[in-house]
Amino acid sequence: MSRRQAREAALQALFQLDLNPAESPEKQEMTETLAVDTALDVGEKMSKRSREYLEQIVHGTLDHREEIDERIARSSKEWKVSRMAPVDRNICRIAVWEIFYSPEKLDAGIAINEAVELAKRYGTDDSKRYVNGILGAMVKLG
């Protein structure tokens, strides 16, 4: 499984966690594990390396979610993060984590391209422009 497929599975897990958060801090780890496992059950077989990347995305995005959402909010003049479509919001979160928080710091152009591809596949007709606009503005802001 490629990194793109790992991102797709991460999007599914983050979407699930966004709409069905843990009932308590004590159940957070169990809820995250369940979301990742569910995403893996839906997709193709995944190599150990890809699964590790999937888990890095999910846990890293959740660990930095407040900071990531602040970055998104500064770049999104039209919508509050809480009002964004859940798919678009989580696609943006993944890209922001990959650009600013990942140990490997993915090149912004590559992360934005990958996010736009996810938006084309999982979002609405307007998602790709919306995601591209938010992430492009964010990179300019730094």
Side-chain angles (χ1 to χ4, degrees), residues 101-117:
Y101 301 97
S102 169
E104 297 175 24
K105 302 278 192 289
L106 192 61
D107 176 74
I110 294 170
I112 292 170
N113 183 59
E114 291 295 325
V116 169
E117 291 301 316

Side-chain angles (χ1 to χ4, degrees), residues 26-100:
E26 296 79 25
K27 293 185 178 182
Q28 184 65 34
E29 185 177 339
M30 180 184 68
T31 303
E32 288 176 25
T33 300
L34 179 61
V36 168
D37 289 347
T38 301
L40 287 170
D41 285 344
V42 173
E44 299 174 27
K45 287 274 190 193
M46 188 179 292
S47 70
K48 181 180 177 187
R49 187 172 171 204
S50 294
R51 182 184 171 102
E52 287 170 357
Y53 191 64
L54 157 64
E55 290 174 348
Q56 250 189 330
I57 293 171
V58 171
H59 298 302
T61 300
L62 293 172
D63 289 347
H64 296 281
R65 192 166 94 179
E66 190 173 307
E67 300 157 58
I68 289 170
D69 285 356
E70 287 173 15
R71 284 181 181 270
I72 294 170
R74 286 194 305 264
S75 301
S76 174
K77 295 180 172 44
E78 296 179 30
W79 294 94
K80 292 182 177 185
V81 175
S82 62
R83 298 217 22 162
M84 291 173 68
V87 169
D88 297 348
R89 176 174 54 233
N90 285 292
I91 290 171
C92 288
R93 285 174 174 162
I94 291 169
V96 173
W97 178 80
E98 288 187 308
I99 295 168
F100 296 105

Side-chain angles (χ1 to χ4, degrees), residues 3-13 39 54 94 118 121-122:
R3 283 196 170 204
R4 179 169 288 175
Q5 291 167 314
R7 283 184 196 93
E8 288 181 13
L11 174 61
Q12 293 168 4
L54 157 64
I94 291 169
L118 283 173
R121 183 159 183 181
Y122 294 99

